[in-house]
Amino acid sequence: MPSPLPSRVFHLLFWLLLAPLGARAQQAPAWQWAASPGAGMGFATLIDPAGDVLVTGSFSGTIRFDTVSLAHSLGSAGFNDVYVAKYSARGELRWAVRAGGTDDDSGLALALDPQGNIYVAGDFNSPEMAFGDTVLRPVGSYDVFVAKLSPAGEWVWARRAGGPGHDGVGGLAVDGRGSIYLAGQFQDSAAFGRNRLRSHGDDDAFVARLDRYGRWQWARGLGGAYKEVAADVAADARGHVWLTGAFAGPTLTVGATTLTNKGQPTTDDLYVAALTHTGEWQWAVRAGGEQNETGCAVAADSAGNAYVAGLFTSPAVDFGSIRRANTRDPFLDPTHTADAFVAKLSGAGKWLWATQAQGDRDERPADLCADSAGTVRLTGTFESPTLGLGGTTLRREAKRRGATAGANASRSAWFAAELSAAGAWQWAVGGPGGTGGLSVGRGGEVALTGFFPDSVVTLGPVTLNGPDEDGGLFIGRLTREAPMGTGKRRREKSMAAKP
């Protein structure tokens, strides 16, 4: 397995062509509502304190959110713009806005501050990218951006960062003070306001902080002679910050801690690191084996524990003293690539437990949330014919609906699942397509966004129509309350072009 791809490519992996599956989860939430504005991808979603659902991603051509149509600057020229939309708890559109230019721009991450302001982060390659009246211009091939919207969907400010190389966003978080944290990777050098970082070799990881007014406060780099990525960042109300990703090469130095790669020098180990709100490194730990491991998502609970989701391809991986064996030995079965895992760490960085999904092909987490009690929700994609998540087995179809014999119609499917604070699988659901983001509300309701592969998809009582046979993006809300779609089908047709 090659070194981890830039974070933006992690998200783009969910553009795979996918197929339906069945599930037999017990006590799982049901779809309350779902919507498909058209062709595009959903990369991140959030549920705000009022229960409203926010979503961001990318689209090309024209996309229609109920009565609001958003159009790319070049129409259907094939490049992507950014959208941000807000739905009520009942699935009624509140507003939708776009940002972008004449080239390829994507919204990849969302965060909320205590006042309900919305922050979106992503990358852009347009010569000029407009956020309302604010225009950003990149220095290199792809730069990163952070932008702020009011609760009513008005652009407040937008900031860029990066350098002459290809830079990417991994994650975005806001703490209880309203400080904003951005994580990702950069090549060569990168500027975050007056804070400048220089790569030690190949891509280096970064984490940086802005204040609520968009002023860069500090930036920290992580790097060695090989490649490092930061796939996600989390922050709690007290300003504690966690970072996860992967590193290649013999070692990675994080503050006063040096991590040693078990499979060096050409394979990747995952890392989890903690910082203060002032950017001081607190601790760092690694996990890995003989092959490649990557941290894909990180979250924290109110007690200061951290949770990380990722994947591993080694025959066995050690999380401190906890060992997890791969479902199939990749040395003996070349068709097997990666198992997904979830692990918990204490506030001091001690591994407390680790569990994994059971599949005989590739699984990749996309997003992770933890509530104040330590209950964890996870979403991602899988290519295995079946995926075991505790007592639940999810299944996918190997062929796209209507595919002819010999057609290149192999699919992946998405999953969403819950684990207890002790790491026991509680429930799991799945569907056709790929997921990019997951969020959990105060009442345990779940929002999901991603992509479905066919002209029509059924999610519980809800039927969605895509713009054509290649499907479209979806956003929806699951709850243990009675589904709103019972006896009624919600449909949104789009006039969008293919992504």
Side-chain angles (χ1 to χ4, degrees):
M1 180 176 175
S3 297
L5 298 172
S7 175
R8 182 171 177 273
V9 181
F10 277 143
H11 293 82
L12 293 178
L13 287 171
F14 299 112
W15 284 90
L16 298 170
L17 295 175
L18 310 168
L21 69 135
R24 56 180 183 85
Q26 295 182 353
Q27 299 180 344
W31 288 97
Q32 184 185 28
W33 59 263
S36 178
M41 181 63 192
F43 287 127
T45 184
L46 280 176
I47 300 179
D48 70 14
D52 291 347
V53 177
L54 292 148
V55 60
T56 191
S58 62
F59 74 99
S60 63
T62 301
I63 193 168
R64 185 178 179 86
F65 293 88
D66 285 335
T67 58
V68 178
S69 293
L70 305 178
H72 187 277
S73 304
L74 293 181
S76 58
F79 297 108
N80 291 319
D81 269 3
V82 175
Y83 69 84
V84 183
K86 185 176 186 178
Y87 290 86
S88 74
R90 295 178 59 83
E92 301 154 337
L93 181 71
R94 296 201 184 279
W95 50 258
V97 297
R98 62 162 289 280
T102 57
D103 209 299
D104 189 26
D105 315 309
S106 296
L108 301 176
L110 282 172
L112 282 168
D113 69 17
Q115 288 73 44
N117 297 299
I118 303 141
Y119 301 87
V120 58
D123 55 27
F124 69 106
N125 195 39
S126 293
E128 293 185 341
M129 184 177 183
F131 301 81
D133 295 331
T134 302
V135 176
L136 301 182
R137 297 173 178 84
V139 173
S141 58
Y142 277 90
D143 276 4
V144 301
F145 71 83
V146 181
K148 179 178 182 178
L149 298 104
S150 71
E154 300 165 333
W155 295 108
V156 179
W157 53 253
R159 302 289 184 265
R160 61 152 295 278
H166 190 137
D167 311 311
V169 164
L172 182 71
V174 175
D175 67 18
R177 299 177 172 89
S179 294
I180 305 137
Y181 303 89
L182 179 71
Q185 47 280 328
F186 69 97
Q187 295 176 334
D188 188 33
S189 63
F192 302 80
R194 297 182 179 180
N195 305 280
R196 296 185 176 274
L197 301 176
R198 182 166 292 278
S199 172
H200 293 81
D202 205 334
D203 289 15
D204 275 11
F206 74 82
V207 57
R209 175 186 158 196
L210 305 91
D211 67 15
R212 68 186 64 186
Y213 304 105
R215 298 175 297 202
W216 294 101
Q217 302 298 294
W218 51 257
R220 302 287 183 266
L222 281 175
Y226 292 81
K227 189 173 187 176
E228 292 76 35
V229 298
D232 200 13
V233 64
D236 68 9
R238 294 171 290 181
H240 300 138
V241 184
W242 294 266
L243 189 70
T244 193
F247 70 99
T251 61
L252 177 68
T253 299
V254 185
T257 303
T258 297
L259 306 177
T260 301
N261 191 328
K262 185 173 182 179
Q264 60 170 309
T266 60
T267 61
D268 308 306
D269 273 5
L270 72 95
Y271 70 85
V272 183
L275 306 88
T276 67
H277 73 280
T278 57
E280 304 300 320
W281 296 107
Q282 297 297 288
W283 51 260
V285 296
R286 57 153 293 281
E290 302 170 27
Q291 294 298 305
N292 294 286
E293 284 71 50
T294 298
C296 298
V298 67
D301 63 25
S302 60
N305 301 301
Y307 304 82
V308 60
L311 58 89
F312 67 97
T313 66
S314 298
V317 170
D318 294 322
F319 299 87
S321 60
I322 303 166
R323 170 161 287 201
R324 286 291 173 262
N326 210 313
T327 304
R328 292 192 179 185
D329 190 329
F331 292 123
L332 302 177
D333 182 1
T335 65
H336 180 74
T337 51
D339 270 5
F341 73 84
V342 182
K344 179 178 180 179
L345 300 101
S346 71
K350 179 182 178 181
W351 295 104
L352 299 178
W353 53 254
T355 190
Q356 72 198 83
Q358 300 285 333
D360 59 8
R361 293 294 186 270
D362 186 48
E363 303 120 38
R364 180 178 291 271
D367 206 356
L368 179 76
C369 292
D371 63 21
S372 59
T375 303
V376 179
R377 282 86 170 187
L378 169 74
T379 192
T381 59
F382 68 97
E383 296 179 358
S384 303
T386 62
L387 182 68
L389 300 166
T392 301
T393 298
L394 303 180
R395 295 176 175 84
R396 73 164 181 90
E397 293 181 5
K399 295 283 186 179
R400 176 178 176 169
R401 292 183 213 177
T404 59
N408 183 18
S410 178
R411 293 298 186 91
S412 295
W414 63 261
F415 68 89
E418 179 179 291
L419 297 94
S420 71
W425 296 101
Q426 301 298 293
W427 54 256
V429 297
T435 48
L438 171 146
S439 183
V440 179
R442 290 179 173 178
E445 63 274 19
V446 176
L448 282 172
T449 188
F451 175 79
F452 65 92
D454 296 301
S455 59
V456 178
V457 67
T458 300
L459 301 173
V462 184
T463 297
L464 300 179
N465 294 323
D468 53 34
E469 68 276 7
D470 291 329
L473 75 91
F474 73 86
I475 174 68
R477 188 176 187 263
L478 296 93
T479 178
R480 289 189 171 90
E481 300 172 359
M484 290 174 55
T486 301
K488 180 181 179 181
R489 289 184 173 181
R490 176 186 179 86
R491 300 188 181 205
E492 290 188 8
K493 291 196 72 172
S494 170
M495 302 172 63
K498 294 180 184 179

